[in-house]
PDB file of all heavy atoms in Angstrom:
ATOM      1  N   GLY A 291     -16.292  15.843   4.809  1.00 91.00           N
ATOM      2  CA  GLY A 291     -16.267  17.122   5.531  1.00 91.00           C
ATOM      3  C   GLY A 291     -17.631  17.792   5.572  1.00 91.00           C
ATOM      4  O   GLY A 291     -18.532  17.416   4.833  1.00 91.00           O
ATOM      5  N   PHE A 292     -17.785  18.802   6.443  1.00 94.00           N
ATOM      6  CA  PHE A 292     -19.023  19.586   6.447  1.00 94.00           C
ATOM      7  C   PHE A 292     -18.764  20.999   5.955  1.00 94.00           C
ATOM      8  O   PHE A 292     -19.645  21.833   5.891  1.00 94.00           O
ATOM      9  CB  PHE A 292     -19.664  19.606   7.841  1.00 94.00           C
ATOM     10  CG  PHE A 292     -18.715  20.043   8.914  1.00 94.00           C
ATOM     11  CD1 PHE A 292     -18.498  21.379   9.132  1.00 94.00           C
ATOM     12  CD2 PHE A 292     -18.034  19.109   9.675  1.00 94.00           C
ATOM     13  CE1 PHE A 292     -17.605  21.793  10.088  1.00 94.00           C
ATOM     14  CE2 PHE A 292     -17.132  19.519  10.638  1.00 94.00           C
ATOM     15  CZ  PHE A 292     -16.912  20.861  10.846  1.00 94.00           C
ATOM     16  N   SER A 293     -17.494  21.294   5.617  1.00 96.00           N
ATOM     17  CA  SER A 293     -17.130  22.608   5.116  1.00 96.00           C
ATOM     18  C   SER A 293     -16.221  22.408   3.909  1.00 96.00           C
ATOM     19  O   SER A 293     -15.351  21.536   3.933  1.00 96.00           O
ATOM     20  CB  SER A 293     -16.392  23.350   6.237  1.00 96.00           C
ATOM     21  OG  SER A 293     -16.063  24.647   5.818  1.00 96.00           O
ATOM     22  N   ALA A 294     -16.437  23.165   2.841  1.00 97.00           N
ATOM     23  CA  ALA A 294     -15.645  22.923   1.624  1.00 97.00           C
ATOM     24  C   ALA A 294     -15.316  24.229   0.916  1.00 97.00           C
ATOM     25  O   ALA A 294     -16.074  25.196   0.982  1.00 97.00           O
ATOM     26  CB  ALA A 294     -16.425  22.002   0.676  1.00 97.00           C
ATOM     27  N   PHE A 295     -14.174  24.228   0.243  1.00 98.00           N
ATOM     28  CA  PHE A 295     -13.785  25.345  -0.619  1.00 98.00           C
ATOM     29  C   PHE A 295     -14.238  25.052  -2.043  1.00 98.00           C
ATOM     30  O   PHE A 295     -14.093  23.924  -2.529  1.00 98.00           O
ATOM     31  CB  PHE A 295     -12.263  25.473  -0.660  1.00 98.00           C
ATOM     32  CG  PHE A 295     -11.645  26.018   0.595  1.00 98.00           C
ATOM     33  CD1 PHE A 295     -10.520  25.415   1.142  1.00 98.00           C
ATOM     34  CD2 PHE A 295     -12.162  27.147   1.217  1.00 98.00           C
ATOM     35  CE1 PHE A 295      -9.922  25.923   2.283  1.00 98.00           C
ATOM     36  CE2 PHE A 295     -11.576  27.663   2.360  1.00 98.00           C
ATOM     37  CZ  PHE A 295     -10.450  27.046   2.887  1.00 98.00           C
ATOM     38  N   VAL A 296     -14.741  26.077  -2.710  1.00 98.00           N
ATOM     39  CA  VAL A 296     -15.111  25.940  -4.119  1.00 98.00           C
ATOM     40  C   VAL A 296     -14.501  27.117  -4.886  1.00 98.00           C
ATOM     41  O   VAL A 296     -14.797  28.278  -4.588  1.00 98.00           O
ATOM     42  CB  VAL A 296     -16.648  25.920  -4.287  1.00 98.00           C
ATOM     43  CG1 VAL A 296     -17.035  25.915  -5.761  1.00 98.00           C
ATOM     44  CG2 VAL A 296     -17.251  24.709  -3.572  1.00 98.00           C
ATOM     45  N   THR A 297     -13.632  26.820  -5.832  1.00 97.00           N
ATOM     46  CA  THR A 297     -12.986  27.879  -6.617  1.00 97.00           C
ATOM     47  C   THR A 297     -13.955  28.369  -7.689  1.00 97.00           C
ATOM     48  O   THR A 297     -14.477  27.568  -8.460  1.00 97.00           O
ATOM     49  CB  THR A 297     -11.705  27.325  -7.278  1.00 97.00           C
ATOM     50  OG1 THR A 297     -10.859  26.818  -6.248  1.00 97.00           O
ATOM     51  CG2 THR A 297     -10.968  28.403  -8.040  1.00 97.00           C
ATOM     52  N   ILE A 298     -14.190  29.689  -7.735  1.00 98.00           N
ATOM     53  CA  ILE A 298     -15.104  30.213  -8.760  1.00 98.00           C
ATOM     54  C   ILE A 298     -14.389  31.109  -9.765  1.00 98.00           C
ATOM     55  O   ILE A 298     -14.861  31.315 -10.869  1.00 98.00           O
ATOM     56  CB  ILE A 298     -16.315  30.957  -8.155  1.00 98.00           C
ATOM     57  CG1 ILE A 298     -15.910  32.255  -7.458  1.00 98.00           C
ATOM     58  CG2 ILE A 298     -17.079  30.046  -7.186  1.00 98.00           C
ATOM     59  CD1 ILE A 298     -17.106  33.180  -7.216  1.00 98.00           C
ATOM     60  N   LEU A 299     -13.249  31.674  -9.346  1.00 97.00           N
ATOM     61  CA  LEU A 299     -12.505  32.575 -10.228  1.00 97.00           C
ATOM     62  C   LEU A 299     -11.042  32.159 -10.181  1.00 97.00           C
ATOM     63  O   LEU A 299     -10.483  32.018  -9.096  1.00 97.00           O
ATOM     64  CB  LEU A 299     -12.667  34.010  -9.710  1.00 97.00           C
ATOM     65  CG  LEU A 299     -12.129  35.113 -10.594  1.00 97.00           C
ATOM     66  CD1 LEU A 299     -13.180  35.503 -11.625  1.00 97.00           C
ATOM     67  CD2 LEU A 299     -11.785  36.338  -9.772  1.00 97.00           C
ATOM     68  N   LEU A 300     -10.455  31.947 -11.350  1.00 96.00           N
ATOM     69  CA  LEU A 300      -9.040  31.546 -11.390  1.00 96.00           C
ATOM     70  C   LEU A 300      -8.218  32.720 -11.901  1.00 96.00           C
ATOM     71  O   LEU A 300      -8.711  33.538 -12.672  1.00 96.00           O
ATOM     72  CB  LEU A 300      -8.864  30.340 -12.311  1.00 96.00           C
ATOM     73  CG  LEU A 300      -9.587  29.086 -11.819  1.00 96.00           C
ATOM     74  CD1 LEU A 300     -10.873  28.849 -12.582  1.00 96.00           C
ATOM     75  CD2 LEU A 300      -8.682  27.870 -11.921  1.00 96.00           C
ATOM     76  N   GLY A 301      -6.954  32.780 -11.477  1.00 96.00           N
ATOM     77  CA  GLY A 301      -6.053  33.816 -11.970  1.00 96.00           C
ATOM     78  C   GLY A 301      -6.386  35.193 -11.446  1.00 96.00           C
ATOM     79  O   GLY A 301      -7.251  35.369 -10.583  1.00 96.00           O
ATOM     80  N   CYS A 302      -5.693  36.196 -11.974  1.00 96.00           N
ATOM     81  CA  CYS A 302      -5.935  37.573 -11.563  1.00 96.00           C
ATOM     82  C   CYS A 302      -5.377  38.499 -12.628  1.00 96.00           C
ATOM     83  O   CYS A 302      -4.290  38.266 -13.143  1.00 96.00           O
ATOM     84  CB  CYS A 302      -5.260  37.877 -10.230  1.00 96.00           C
ATOM     85  SG  CYS A 302      -5.646  39.549  -9.656  1.00 96.00           S
ATOM     86  N   ASN A 303      -6.137  39.548 -12.964  1.00 95.00           N
ATOM     87  CA  ASN A 303      -5.683  40.503 -13.984  1.00 95.00           C
ATOM     88  C   ASN A 303      -5.353  41.874 -13.418  1.00 95.00           C
ATOM     89  O   ASN A 303      -5.125  42.802 -14.167  1.00 95.00           O
ATOM     90  CB  ASN A 303      -6.778  40.700 -15.041  1.00 95.00           C
ATOM     91  CG  ASN A 303      -6.707  39.648 -16.118  1.00 95.00           C
ATOM     92  OD1 ASN A 303      -6.164  38.569 -15.886  1.00 95.00           O
ATOM     93  ND2 ASN A 303      -7.235  39.939 -17.285  1.00 95.00           N
ATOM     94  N   ARG A 304      -5.354  42.008 -12.080  1.00 94.00           N
ATOM     95  CA  ARG A 304      -5.200  43.359 -11.556  1.00 94.00           C
ATOM     96  C   ARG A 304      -3.785  43.898 -11.630  1.00 94.00           C
ATOM     97  O   ARG A 304      -3.576  45.084 -11.783  1.00 94.00           O
ATOM     98  CB  ARG A 304      -5.691  43.411 -10.112  1.00 94.00           C
ATOM     99  CG  ARG A 304      -7.160  43.697 -10.037  1.00 94.00           C
ATOM    100  CD  ARG A 304      -7.552  44.057  -8.625  1.00 94.00           C
ATOM    101  NE  ARG A 304      -8.965  43.824  -8.474  1.00 94.00           N
ATOM    102  CZ  ARG A 304      -9.894  44.712  -8.829  1.00 94.00           C
ATOM    103  NH1 ARG A 304      -9.547  45.889  -9.302  1.00 94.00           N
ATOM    104  NH2 ARG A 304     -11.165  44.415  -8.702  1.00 94.00           N
ATOM    105  N   ARG A 305      -2.826  43.049 -11.452  1.00 95.00           N
ATOM    106  CA  ARG A 305      -1.415  43.468 -11.497  1.00 95.00           C
ATOM    107  C   ARG A 305      -1.109  44.595 -10.532  1.00 95.00           C
ATOM    108  O   ARG A 305      -0.605  45.660 -10.931  1.00 95.00           O
ATOM    109  CB  ARG A 305      -1.000  43.823 -12.922  1.00 95.00           C
ATOM    110  CG  ARG A 305      -1.074  42.614 -13.834  1.00 95.00           C
ATOM    111  CD  ARG A 305      -0.033  42.604 -14.937  1.00 95.00           C
ATOM    112  NE  ARG A 305       0.017  41.267 -15.531  1.00 95.00           N
ATOM    113  CZ  ARG A 305       0.901  40.351 -15.204  1.00 95.00           C
ATOM    114  NH1 ARG A 305       1.839  40.605 -14.314  1.00 95.00           N
ATOM    115  NH2 ARG A 305       0.873  39.156 -15.751  1.00 95.00           N
ATOM    116  N   CYS A 306      -1.376  44.386  -9.278  1.00 98.00           N
ATOM    117  CA  CYS A 306      -0.896  45.302  -8.242  1.00 98.00           C
ATOM    118  C   CYS A 306       0.627  45.284  -8.341  1.00 98.00           C
ATOM    119  O   CYS A 306       1.225  44.243  -8.654  1.00 98.00           O
ATOM    120  CB  CYS A 306      -1.369  44.841  -6.872  1.00 98.00           C
ATOM    121  SG  CYS A 306      -3.179  44.728  -6.796  1.00 98.00           S
ATOM    122  N   ALA A 307       1.262  46.432  -8.081  1.00 98.00           N
ATOM    123  CA  ALA A 307       2.681  46.595  -8.424  1.00 98.00           C
ATOM    124  C   ALA A 307       3.607  45.589  -7.744  1.00 98.00           C
ATOM    125  O   ALA A 307       4.656  45.257  -8.276  1.00 98.00           O
ATOM    126  CB  ALA A 307       3.117  48.017  -8.074  1.00 98.00           C
ATOM    127  N   TYR A 308       3.218  45.117  -6.569  1.00 98.00           N
ATOM    128  CA  TYR A 308       4.100  44.257  -5.766  1.00 98.00           C
ATOM    129  C   TYR A 308       3.834  42.772  -5.979  1.00 98.00           C
ATOM    130  O   TYR A 308       4.553  41.930  -5.451  1.00 98.00           O
ATOM    131  CB  TYR A 308       3.863  44.557  -4.272  1.00 98.00           C
ATOM    132  CG  TYR A 308       2.388  44.522  -3.912  1.00 98.00           C
ATOM    133  CD1 TYR A 308       1.750  43.318  -3.658  1.00 98.00           C
ATOM    134  CD2 TYR A 308       1.621  45.693  -3.917  1.00 98.00           C
ATOM    135  CE1 TYR A 308       0.388  43.268  -3.402  1.00 98.00           C
ATOM    136  CE2 TYR A 308       0.267  45.656  -3.662  1.00 98.00           C
ATOM    137  CZ  TYR A 308      -0.343  44.440  -3.407  1.00 98.00           C
ATOM    138  OH  TYR A 308      -1.693  44.394  -3.178  1.00 98.00           O
ATOM    139  N   CYS A 309       2.796  42.419  -6.727  1.00 98.00           N
ATOM    140  CA  CYS A 309       2.242  41.066  -6.578  1.00 98.00           C
ATOM    141  C   CYS A 309       2.619  40.108  -7.692  1.00 98.00           C
ATOM    142  O   CYS A 309       2.493  40.418  -8.880  1.00 98.00           O
ATOM    143  CB  CYS A 309       0.724  41.162  -6.485  1.00 98.00           C
ATOM    144  SG  CYS A 309      -0.030  39.568  -6.128  1.00 98.00           S
ATOM    145  N   ILE A 310       3.033  38.930  -7.318  1.00 98.00           N
ATOM    146  CA  ILE A 310       3.485  37.922  -8.267  1.00 98.00           C
ATOM    147  C   ILE A 310       2.338  37.004  -8.723  1.00 98.00           C
ATOM    148  O   ILE A 310       2.483  36.255  -9.682  1.00 98.00           O
ATOM    149  CB  ILE A 310       4.637  37.107  -7.650  1.00 98.00           C
ATOM    150  CG1 ILE A 310       5.465  36.449  -8.756  1.00 98.00           C
ATOM    151  CG2 ILE A 310       4.119  36.075  -6.637  1.00 98.00           C
ATOM    152  CD1 ILE A 310       6.853  36.077  -8.352  1.00 98.00           C
ATOM    153  N   VAL A 311       1.195  37.105  -8.031  1.00 97.00           N
ATOM    154  CA  VAL A 311       0.106  36.156  -8.308  1.00 97.00           C
ATOM    155  C   VAL A 311      -0.279  36.097  -9.795  1.00 97.00           C
ATOM    156  O   VAL A 311      -0.399  35.012 -10.360  1.00 97.00           O
ATOM    157  CB  VAL A 311      -1.109  36.427  -7.390  1.00 97.00           C
ATOM    158  CG1 VAL A 311      -2.325  35.627  -7.826  1.00 97.00           C
ATOM    159  CG2 VAL A 311      -0.745  36.082  -5.944  1.00 97.00           C
ATOM    160  N   PRO A 312      -0.458  37.243 -10.489  1.00 97.00           N
ATOM    161  CA  PRO A 312      -0.824  37.142 -11.907  1.00 97.00           C
ATOM    162  C   PRO A 312       0.217  36.376 -12.735  1.00 97.00           C
ATOM    163  O   PRO A 312      -0.142  35.726 -13.722  1.00 97.00           O
ATOM    164  CB  PRO A 312      -0.920  38.604 -12.352  1.00 97.00           C
ATOM    165  CG  PRO A 312      -1.244  39.355 -11.099  1.00 97.00           C
ATOM    166  CD  PRO A 312      -0.481  38.640 -10.013  1.00 97.00           C
ATOM    167  N   ASP A 313       1.492  36.438 -12.333  1.00 97.00           N
ATOM    168  CA  ASP A 313       2.544  35.734 -13.084  1.00 97.00           C
ATOM    169  C   ASP A 313       2.577  34.239 -12.813  1.00 97.00           C
ATOM    170  O   ASP A 313       3.187  33.487 -13.560  1.00 97.00           O
ATOM    171  CB  ASP A 313       3.925  36.311 -12.740  1.00 97.00           C
ATOM    172  CG  ASP A 313       4.065  37.735 -13.230  1.00 97.00           C
ATOM    173  OD1 ASP A 313       3.466  38.057 -14.272  1.00 97.00           O
ATOM    174  OD2 ASP A 313       4.739  38.524 -12.554  1.00 97.00           O
ATOM    175  N   VAL A 314       1.987  33.809 -11.711  1.00 97.00           N
ATOM    176  CA  VAL A 314       2.010  32.371 -11.424  1.00 97.00           C
ATOM    177  C   VAL A 314       0.640  31.716 -11.572  1.00 97.00           C
ATOM    178  O   VAL A 314       0.538  30.505 -11.727  1.00 97.00           O
ATOM    179  CB  VAL A 314       2.597  32.071 -10.012  1.00 97.00           C
ATOM    180  CG1 VAL A 314       4.091  32.339  -9.992  1.00 97.00           C
ATOM    181  CG2 VAL A 314       1.887  32.845  -8.926  1.00 97.00           C
ATOM    182  N   ARG A 315      -0.409  32.539 -11.540  1.00 97.00           N
ATOM    183  CA  ARG A 315      -1.766  31.977 -11.646  1.00 97.00           C
ATOM    184  C   ARG A 315      -2.459  32.378 -12.928  1.00 97.00           C
ATOM    185  O   ARG A 315      -3.566  31.949 -13.206  1.00 97.00           O
ATOM    186  CB  ARG A 315      -2.598  32.389 -10.448  1.00 97.00           C
ATOM    187  CG  ARG A 315      -2.072  31.738  -9.191  1.00 97.00           C
ATOM    188  CD  ARG A 315      -3.179  31.271  -8.290  1.00 97.00           C
ATOM    189  NE  ARG A 315      -2.693  30.280  -7.390  1.00 97.00           N
ATOM    190  CZ  ARG A 315      -3.084  29.008  -7.378  1.00 97.00           C
ATOM    191  NH1 ARG A 315      -3.995  28.596  -8.221  1.00 97.00           N
ATOM    192  NH2 ARG A 315      -2.567  28.164  -6.532  1.00 97.00           N
ATOM    193  N   GLY A 316      -1.823  33.274 -13.698  1.00 96.00           N
ATOM    194  CA  GLY A 316      -2.310  33.564 -15.032  1.00 96.00           C
ATOM    195  C   GLY A 316      -3.534  34.452 -15.103  1.00 96.00           C
ATOM    196  O   GLY A 316      -3.933  35.100 -14.136  1.00 96.00           O
ATOM    197  N   ASP A 317      -4.121  34.475 -16.316  1.00 96.00           N
ATOM    198  CA  ASP A 317      -5.249  35.363 -16.603  1.00 96.00           C
ATOM    199  C   ASP A 317      -6.471  34.999 -15.781  1.00 96.00           C
ATOM    200  O   ASP A 317      -6.667  33.852 -15.408  1.00 96.00           O
ATOM    201  CB  ASP A 317      -5.617  35.268 -18.088  1.00 96.00           C
ATOM    202  CG  ASP A 317      -4.484  35.735 -18.986  1.00 96.00           C
ATOM    203  OD1 ASP A 317      -3.562  36.393 -18.471  1.00 96.00           O
ATOM    204  OD2 ASP A 317      -4.529  35.432 -20.198  1.00 96.00           O
ATOM    205  N   GLU A 318      -7.287  36.027 -15.566  1.00 96.00           N
ATOM    206  CA  GLU A 318      -8.501  35.831 -14.781  1.00 96.00           C
ATOM    207  C   GLU A 318      -9.591  35.149 -15.619  1.00 96.00           C
ATOM    208  O   GLU A 318      -9.893  35.586 -16.727  1.00 96.00           O
ATOM    209  CB  GLU A 318      -8.980  37.218 -14.339  1.00 96.00           C
ATOM    210  CG  GLU A 318     -10.206  37.209 -13.497  1.00 96.00           C
ATOM    211  CD  GLU A 318     -10.679  38.630 -13.221  1.00 96.00           C
ATOM    212  OE1 GLU A 318      -9.924  39.401 -12.600  1.00 96.00           O
ATOM    213  OE2 GLU A 318     -11.794  38.969 -13.658  1.00 96.00           O
ATOM    214  N   TRP A 319     -10.159  34.090 -15.072  1.00 97.00           N
ATOM    215  CA  TRP A 319     -11.258  33.377 -15.723  1.00 97.00           C
ATOM    216  C   TRP A 319     -12.335  33.071 -14.690  1.00 97.00           C
ATOM    217  O   TRP A 319     -12.030  32.606 -13.599  1.00 97.00           O
ATOM    218  CB  TRP A 319     -10.797  32.032 -16.286  1.00 97.00           C
ATOM    219  CG  TRP A 319      -9.851  32.126 -17.423  1.00 97.00           C
ATOM    220  CD1 TRP A 319      -8.495  32.028 -17.344  1.00 97.00           C
ATOM    221  CD2 TRP A 319     -10.164  32.319 -18.809  1.00 97.00           C
ATOM    222  NE1 TRP A 319      -7.952  32.152 -18.596  1.00 97.00           N
ATOM    223  CE2 TRP A 319      -8.947  32.329 -19.508  1.00 97.00           C
ATOM    224  CE3 TRP A 319     -11.370  32.480 -19.513  1.00 97.00           C
ATOM    225  CZ2 TRP A 319      -8.895  32.507 -20.891  1.00 97.00           C
ATOM    226  CZ3 TRP A 319     -11.304  32.651 -20.877  1.00 97.00           C
ATOM    227  CH2 TRP A 319     -10.078  32.673 -21.559  1.00 97.00           C
TER     228      TRP A 319
END
Side-chain angles (χ1 to χ4, degrees):
F292 53 83
S293 182
F295 287 134
V296 174
T297 303
I298 67 164
L299 188 85
L300 296 102
C302 184
N303 274 23
R304 272 193 202 276
R305 296 213 166 262
C306 302
Y308 50 82
C309 186
I310 202 158
V311 170
D313 293 328
V314 289
R315 293 220 160 245
D317 297 344
E318 181 185 298
W319 292 98

